[in-house]
Amino acid sequence: MAGKKRMANLELLRCVAMMMVVVLHYLAKGELLPSYTVENIGTVGIAAWSLEALCIVAVNVYMLISGYFLCESSFKPRRLIGLWLQLEFYSVVIGLVGAFTGVVSHVDVDTHYYLNLLFPVSMGHYWFMTAYLYLYLLLPLVGYAVKKMTKEQHIFVMGSLLVLFCGLKSILPVRLDMDQKGYDHLWYLVVFLVAAYIRKYGFTFLEKKRNALLLYLGSAVCIVAEVLILRYIYAKTGSLELIQAIPIEYNHIFAFTASLGLFGLFQGIQIKDGAFSRLICKIAPLTLGVYLLHENLGLRYSWQNWFHADRVESAISLLLWTVLAVICIFFCGIAVEAIRSLLFTKADAALVHISLYRKWKEWLKEKDDLFRVKE
């Protein structure tokens, strides 16, 4: 058997989520989001915050998809090595290209820069990949626990963690010192447990597409409303400055519920077998390359102005340039990842004739079998 059949609806969502990630980076690193301390933000500011609210679900959604499939999978050392090599390729190659061509901006090309390129996980070059790889390393433990827990145990553990990582920060008018804003593997362990729950037991409320859509859009509206309310309070009283950014953090309650709504919406979509579904299932595995390309230190703060982020003057121009940036960055990333994947495949085919390399691959396969899920 060639492998498990991909679910085109969730693979489409994977593509949409990555496009949303590009939107977030265009808005934030293009300095299009108004400062929290500016009283009058205008229509451009409202449009920017609205886009931010609609897209802040992206990373949570991407992890929900990963968790949905990982909870039924085995830990694979070959997969871990493959991810690390993919990460190193982008980190080093794109980083060096950016440095040698002078594209790098807002970052000093010094020893620290090159350490980021060489050790992307330990240096946090790509925070998402650091969190994801740590979570993947925990898969033999958490995957086994999820399979053995009863529904009641799962609900208790998941609910307790949601209160600690999401609930408290969303209601308290203070900054919690241990809150990492959703930029860590512990938050994505919580998201993994939620995805595993949905996979095992379902979520009745989200099974109706209307409910899922309302949850997504309603949560996005609440994010914008909370941003504006906190801005108003700060403008009038000068208080609550430290929590101004909380509504658009990944582990805020509205960002989390919005991601659940969008995930449920796409989970309920039926995509018939055909050319479109095959295309989506072919493109979706390449989407990680979009992130690794445009978030490389060599490009991270440069590409936004290629799409006039520094010259946006109206809500319409904001929307048009954002759409253009997303389309270009997404398909460039897909193309680069397709080329990288082909190069790695060719290299693997060439190296397999070397005895030492072949033995190493056989050893990795043995380790894959060691962790294989036993039904």
Side-chain angles (χ1 to χ4, degrees):
M1 184 176 291
K4 294 182 180 179
K5 185 177 180 181
R6 290 185 174 272
M7 298 173 63
N9 55 340
L10 294 185
E11 297 303 334
L12 177 60
L13 178 58
R14 195 190 301 272
C15 295
V16 170
M18 188 53 69
M19 290 180 181
M20 287 179 163
V21 168
V22 179
V23 172
L24 294 177
H25 293 155
Y26 181 67
L27 294 174
K29 295 180 174 69
E31 299 181 350
L32 289 163
L33 295 172
S35 168
Y36 295 106
T37 57
V38 176
E39 187 170 354
N40 183 19
I41 61 177
T43 56
V44 176
I46 293 292
W49 281 119
S50 298
L51 283 175
E52 182 82 0
L54 289 169
C55 296
I56 198 64
V57 302
V59 181
N60 287 343
V61 164
Y62 209 87
M63 282 305 303
L64 280 171
I65 297 169
S66 297
Y68 188 83
F69 294 116
L70 282 177
C71 70
E72 294 291 328
S73 301
S74 302
F75 173 76
K76 296 181 178 65
R78 280 191 299 178
R79 170 64 175 158
L80 181 66
I81 296 296
L83 281 170
W84 176 75
L85 289 174
Q86 180 184 14
L87 179 57
E88 285 288 341
F89 173 85
Y90 277 96
S91 184
V92 173
V93 174
I94 304 301
L96 289 177
V97 169
F100 293 155
T101 59
V103 171
V104 181
S105 64
H106 294 77
V107 177
D108 293 328
V109 180
D110 52 14
T111 301
H112 187 264
Y113 177 86
Y114 290 115
L115 285 173
N116 269 279
L117 303 190
L118 289 173
F119 305 104
V121 176
S122 299
M123 296 294 290
H125 182 171
Y126 299 97
W127 74 264
F128 174 79
M129 290 304 296
T130 298
Y132 183 86
L133 286 172
Y134 285 159
L135 177 61
Y136 192 76
L137 279 169
L138 292 172
L139 185 61
L141 296 175
V142 296
Y144 183 80
V146 162
K147 291 179 175 66
K148 293 299 180 181
M149 280 193 295
T150 65
K151 183 177 182 180
E152 289 73 21
Q153 290 171 331
H154 197 141
I155 290 173
F156 180 81
V157 172
M158 179 179 66
S160 299
L161 289 171
L162 281 171
V163 170
L164 291 172
F165 282 90
C166 181
L168 290 177
K169 72 165 291 177
S170 301
I171 60 175
L172 295 176
V174 294
R175 268 286 178 196
L176 301 174
D177 288 345
M178 292 298 291
D179 177 34
Q180 298 299 310
K181 308 175 185 178
Y183 290 94
D184 63 311
H185 63 285
L186 291 177
W187 168 243
Y188 293 110
L189 174 60
V190 180
V191 177
F192 174 91
L193 290 174
V194 174
Y197 181 89
I198 295 173
R199 182 69 182 263
K200 288 182 69 177
Y201 307 111
F203 196 158
T204 305
F205 177 81
L206 294 178
E207 289 174 3
K208 293 183 178 180
K209 289 195 285 291
R210 179 175 175 274
N211 290 347
L213 179 61
L214 287 175
L215 181 62
Y216 168 57
L217 294 178
S219 297
V221 169
C222 288
I223 291 171
V224 175
E226 187 172 354
V227 166
L228 295 178
I229 289 170
L230 288 174
R231 289 172 60 88
Y232 179 80
I233 293 173
Y234 177 77
K236 295 298 181 182
T237 67
S239 61
L240 303 184
E241 181 179 3
L242 293 178
I243 66 169
Q244 292 284 304
I246 278 183
I248 58 163
E249 292 171 0
Y250 298 126
N251 61 339
H252 186 276
I253 185 64
F254 293 139
F256 175 67
T257 55
S259 64
L260 284 180
L262 191 62
F263 182 84
L265 179 63
F266 275 79
Q267 192 180 19
I269 294 174
Q270 299 296 321
I271 299 179
K272 295 180 180 179
D273 288 338
F276 179 71
S277 65
R278 288 193 297 272
L279 177 63
I280 291 300
C281 292
K282 185 172 291 188
I283 289 176
L286 305 174
T287 55
L288 185 58
V290 179
Y291 169 70
L292 295 175
L293 177 66
H294 83 273
E295 263 297 278
N296 187 281
L297 275 177
L299 292 175
R300 183 176 296 174
Y301 301 101
S302 304
W303 62 267
Q304 292 83 5
N305 288 339
W306 301 348
F307 300 97
H308 288 207
D310 56 341
R311 285 183 275 175
V312 168
E313 296 179 350
S314 68
I316 296 298
S317 65
L318 171 67
L319 294 174
L320 291 176
W321 281 112
T322 300
V323 169
L324 182 61
V326 168
I327 292 172
C328 292
I329 295 297
F330 183 82
F331 285 104
C332 281
I334 292 297
V336 171
E337 175 58 15
I339 294 170
R340 183 211 63 84
S341 181
L342 179 62
L343 290 175
F344 273 43
T345 300
K346 296 288 187 183
D348 181 68
L351 291 172
V352 78
H353 298 295
I354 301 174
S355 176
L356 185 62
Y357 181 77
R358 186 167 59 250
K359 289 179 179 178
W360 179 67
K361 286 195 67 176
E362 290 170 355
W363 181 82
L364 281 177
K365 186 178 184 303
E366 289 176 4
K367 299 310 172 189
D368 282 358
D369 293 337
L370 180 66
F371 289 99
R372 195 175 299 282
V373 174
K374 296 176 176 62
E375 300 296 339

